[in-house]
């Protein structure tokens, strides 16, 4: 999303765009939480949003997958 639309969302900056796949992989960084997210965007939505590196966007998950490293205490 380019602007907030009333749904809960996270403000982030676009740091990298990889359009060489069936979906466009967009990497964003949220300064508020210090996290990097990879977002899958359909080609149609990518063309509609006209994203470029440095843009501020608002992300809201539809499907969320979290990968954590195994560690021992």
């Amino acid at each position: 999303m380019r602007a907030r639309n009333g749904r809960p969302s996270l403000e982030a900056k676009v740091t990298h765009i990889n359009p060489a796949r069936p979906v466009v992989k967009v990497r964003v960084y949220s300064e508020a939480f210090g996290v990097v997210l990879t977002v899958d965007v359909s080609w149609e939505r990518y063309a509609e949003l006209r994203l470029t590196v440095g843009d501020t966007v608002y992300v809201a998950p539809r499907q969320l997958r979290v990968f954590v490293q195994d560690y021992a205490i």
Side-chain angles (χ1 to χ4, degrees):
M1 297 179 284
R2 286 277 194 181
R4 293 185 189 264
N5 66 357
R7 290 178 45 197
S9 60
L10 182 66
E11 182 177 314
K13 281 213 180 287
V14 175
T15 60
H16 182 78
I17 299 171
N18 183 358
R21 297 174 180 228
V23 294
V24 180
K25 299 280 187 179
V26 180
R27 187 169 299 137
V28 298
Y29 174 71
S30 170
E31 192 172 310
F33 290 93
V35 295
V36 175
L37 304 170
T38 300
V39 181
D40 292 346
V41 180
S42 71
W43 279 97
E44 295 81 17
R45 186 72 171 138
Y46 175 70
E48 179 184 313
L49 292 172
R50 296 179 296 185
L51 295 173
T52 59
V53 172
D55 286 350
T56 298
V57 294
Y58 299 89
V59 294
R62 289 188 186 167
Q63 286 186 313
L64 184 64
R65 293 180 297 190
V66 177
F67 301 95
V68 295
Q69 294 179 340
D70 290 334
Y71 66 92
I73 297 177

